């Protein structure tokens, strides 16, 4: 078992560049299934989830050439890829469900195991099913698999999502690209990652309008072609570093991300007493869609921001909401900041009901947190103290490490495989910013069942 040993307190200072978004690259990899031939994706982060998705595509018959150091992946898609995504891989990563749309759209059938992934709450597939059925597919659950079949092919439809689901929007827009006729998706998700996938689909020959708005209109085409595409910068990783600067009283410059992708994050960081400024190359006047398109064509090294943390942050009140609201993936960092802030902070989680699991681990460091339904009331303490804690998901794990850097003494974080799924070289980047963090192997935990 590997753990992260974190010695604090330590301020983080320096500069780093984030690579492509985990929440985008996995979907872009799935989108290549829509076109036979070789597609090349660049700015790919070196994270575990990319390897998992690569193996899933291999089992569907694709050829994969992944260079993690260069950050590129080439995907050779056959004329007739497989249609079954098995539980062995899908359970490890919920994003695997994103092969559902392209397989149903192109192969007219998909058998995808019900997904697993992070332990942050239930995320049903009702909207995926309703949307595909509106487009002419027959969809049902059978022995742990989501089965979608459209022998005659998909056709255009008017689809209204009761909630702006990112996953449903992605699957439905991919499926619609090869459907006969026009599909309208109302109340679609507007996240930067949705913009990114739509731009890639356009480059492949898809006809999509309304990108970046709540209404996407897709005019189906007969065939798409392979493409080269650069992944949009990871706003969640960038936001993690922004909070790391505020929590540790540090000074961090982050490159490779359009600050427009984090509007409410910067507002709340300023409320907490941090200084936040955009880098000169980050022109917000052009709008998010234009900013992402520009970054895709020229790179985003000149884009970014700088955060200088206060000596001690002020407590803040935050509610998670779909984009452009505050992202749920950064919720654990808000709780960690409020844990050492001056005052009483409040976090309202509106998206995932089980995201409070990490709070019990944060309490082991001395945090004073009270949970009431979907609210977390956090009374700031002057200092945290090191302890053994366990990561339950990607973001909770990273937040526990950052909290450990604000604590006195040694914090041991287990469950680091979760962090590996979403953060590239996390320990190495922390060390480059001046943190005393190491990755070590530890004996397996005591097995109580062995006494039986």
């Amino acid at each position: 078992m590997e753990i992260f040993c974190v010695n604090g307190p330590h301020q983080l200072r320096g500069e780093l560049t984030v690579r492509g978004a985990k929440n985008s690259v996995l979907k872009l990899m799935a989108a290549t299934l829509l076109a036979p031939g070789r597609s090349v994706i660049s700015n790919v982060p070196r994270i575990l989830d990319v390897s998992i998705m690569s193996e899933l595509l291999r089992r569907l018959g694709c050829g994969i050439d992944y260079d993690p150091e260069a950050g590129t992946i080439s995907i050779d898609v056959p004329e007739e890829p497989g249609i079954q995504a098995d539980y062995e891989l899908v359970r490890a990563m919920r994003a695997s469900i994103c092969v559902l749309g392209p397989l149903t759209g192109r192969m007219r059938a998909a058998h995808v195991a019900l997904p697993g992934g992070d332990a942050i709450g239930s995320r049903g597939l009702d909207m995926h099913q309703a949307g595909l059925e509106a487009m002419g597919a027959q969809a049902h659950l059978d022995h742990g698999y989501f089965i979608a079949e459209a022998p005659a092919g998909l056709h255009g439809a008017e689809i209204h999502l009761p909630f702006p689901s990112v996953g449903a929007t992605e699957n439905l827009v991919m499926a619609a690209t090869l459907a006969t006729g026009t599909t309208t998706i109302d109340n679609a998700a507007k996240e930067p990652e949705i913009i990114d996938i739509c731009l890639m689909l356009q480059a492949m020959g898809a006809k999509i309008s309304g990108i970046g708005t709540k209404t996407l209109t897709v005019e189906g085409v007969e065939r798409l072609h392979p493409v080269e595409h650069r992944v949009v910068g990871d706003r969640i990783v960038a936001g993690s570093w922004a909070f790391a600067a505020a929590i540790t009283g540090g000074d961090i410059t982050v490159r490779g991300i359009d600050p427009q992708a984090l509007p409410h994050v910067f507002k709340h960081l300023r409320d907490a007493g941090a200084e936040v400024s955009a880098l000169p190359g980050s022109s917000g006047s052009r709008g998010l869609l234009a900013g992402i398109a520009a970054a895709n064509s020229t790179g985003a090294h000149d884009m970014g921001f700088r955060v200088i943390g206060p000596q001690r942050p002020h407590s803040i009140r935050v509610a998670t909401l779909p984009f452009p609201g505050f992202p749920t993936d950064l919720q654990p960092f808000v709780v960690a900041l409020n844990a050492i802030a001056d005052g009483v902070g409040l976090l309202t989680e509106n998206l995932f009901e089980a995201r409070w699991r990490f709070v019990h681990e944060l309490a082991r460091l001395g945090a004073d947190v009270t949970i009431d339904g979907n609210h977390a009331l956090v009374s700031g303490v002057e200092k945290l103290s090191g302890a053994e804690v366990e990561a339950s998901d990607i973001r909770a794990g990273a937040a526990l490490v950052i909290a450990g850097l604000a604590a006195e003494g040694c914090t041991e974080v287990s469950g680091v495989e979760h962090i590996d799924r979403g953060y590239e070289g996390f320990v190495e980047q922390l060390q480059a910013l001046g943190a005393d963090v190491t990755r070590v192997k530890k004996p397996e935990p005591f097995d109580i069942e062995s006494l039986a």
Side-chain angles (χ1 to χ4, degrees):
M1 182 177 70
E2 290 188 321
I3 63 170
F4 290 167
C5 292
V6 185
N7 291 299
H10 261 286
Q11 293 179 320
L12 298 180
R13 297 182 179 275
E15 180 177 311
L16 52 83
T17 299
V18 298
R19 283 213 273 194
K22 164 190 174 298
N23 291 336
S24 185
V25 66
L26 305 176
K27 322 303 174 61
L28 300 177
M29 292 171 69
T32 64
L33 291 168
L34 289 163
R38 169 170 282 207
S39 288
V40 180
I41 302 174
S42 61
N43 200 33
V44 176
R46 191 177 67 249
I47 57 176
L48 181 59
D49 274 13
V50 169
S51 297
I52 296 173
M53 180 60 80
S54 296
E55 181 59 25
L56 175 59
L57 293 178
R58 282 192 190 96
R59 297 191 186 188
L60 292 175
C62 300
I64 303 293
D65 185 6
Y66 175 35
D67 186 341
E69 295 304 320
T72 60
I73 186 166
S74 299
I75 303 173
D76 287 295
V77 179
E79 287 290 339
E80 294 191 9
I83 62 170
Q84 180 159 312
D86 292 326
Y87 177 69
E88 178 185 0
L89 287 172
V90 178
R91 72 182 178 89
M93 185 184 66
R94 183 179 175 84
S96 303
I97 195 66
C98 64
V99 301
L100 176 65
L103 287 178
T104 307
R106 180 171 166 228
M107 303 308 298
R108 302 186 176 186
H111 300 179
V112 183
L114 295 179
D118 285 336
I120 59 174
S122 61
R123 294 184 282 188
L125 300 177
D126 293 353
M127 285 181 278
H128 303 248
Q129 180 173 353
L132 289 174
E133 288 178 339
M135 296 166 69
Q138 297 176 346
H140 63 280
L141 301 181
D142 184 25
H143 291 85
Y145 278 79
F146 187 103
I147 309 294
E149 297 176 336
L154 298 177
H155 57 71
E158 293 188 4
I159 301 170
H160 175 79
L161 299 178
F163 177 83
S165 163
V166 171
T169 300
E170 291 164 339
N171 260 325
L172 297 177
V173 75
M174 285 190 282
T177 59
L178 295 176
T180 301
T182 301
T183 299
T184 301
I185 305 172
D186 183 47
N187 200 28
K190 299 182 290 184
E191 273 75 0
E193 295 79 21
I194 298 291
I195 294 175
D196 197 27
I197 195 171
C198 287
L199 291 175
M200 176 172 163
L201 292 171
Q202 278 188 331
M204 295 172 72
K207 297 182 179 180
I208 307 173
S209 60
I211 300 174
T213 74
K214 69 174 185 177
T215 302
L216 292 172
T217 302
V218 185
E219 183 181 343
V221 298
E222 290 186 3
R223 188 177 178 89
L224 299 176
H225 56 77
V227 72
E228 294 186 6
H229 183 83
R230 181 187 183 278
V231 186
V232 69
D234 198 317
R235 64 192 173 100
I236 302 302
V237 171
S240 302
W241 293 120
F243 271 95
I247 291 170
T248 66
D251 182 350
I252 300 177
T253 296
V254 180
R255 296 184 180 273
I257 181 73
D258 189 338
Q260 295 177 95
L262 292 166
H264 285 271
V265 172
F266 294 146
K267 173 189 178 300
H268 288 300
L269 284 171
R270 291 189 179 100
D271 290 343
E275 298 179 31
V276 183
S277 57
L279 298 185
S282 305
S283 174
S285 60
R286 57 190 164 199
L288 183 58
L289 172 58
I292 292 176
N296 284 347
S297 61
T298 64
H301 184 73
D302 292 337
M303 294 183 181
F305 58 86
R306 180 184 181 186
V307 176
I308 302 174
Q311 184 174 1
R312 185 183 182 189
H314 309 302
S315 61
I316 55 178
R317 295 193 169 203
V318 177
T320 63
L321 291 168
F323 190 85
F326 192 92
T328 182
D329 279 352
L330 291 178
Q331 178 248 84
F333 298 90
V334 175
V335 180
L337 180 143
N338 279 335
I340 50 93
D342 181 16
V344 178
L346 179 67
L347 192 290
T348 301
E349 174 54 59
N350 291 310
L351 301 178
F352 295 122
E353 72 279 2
R355 204 144 212 174
W356 298 132
R357 288 183 57 180
F358 89 102
V359 168
H360 303 293
E361 300 300 308
L362 195 63
R364 292 175 57 80
L365 300 179
D368 184 357
V369 186
T370 301
I371 302 298
D372 183 8
N374 65 328
H375 305 287
L377 189 68
V378 189
S379 299
V381 298
E382 291 190 6
K383 62 181 180 180
L384 300 174
S385 57
E388 295 182 8
V389 294
E390 181 179 6
S392 58
D393 66 74
I394 298 171
R395 311 306 171 185
L400 286 170
V401 172
I402 300 304
L405 289 171
E408 291 190 350
C410 177
T411 298
E412 293 187 356
V413 182
S414 60
V416 300
E417 66 277 4
H418 292 292
I419 302 173
D420 291 339
R421 288 183 48 219
Y423 291 86
E424 177 179 9
F426 194 53
V427 167
E428 292 77 13
Q429 290 193 318
L430 284 168
Q431 291 171 342
L433 295 174
D436 183 358
V437 180
T438 54
R439 183 179 190 131
V440 300
K441 288 190 175 183
K442 191 175 182 179
E444 291 293 332
F446 179 67
D447 184 5
I448 295 179
E449 293 183 359
S450 65
L451 299 177

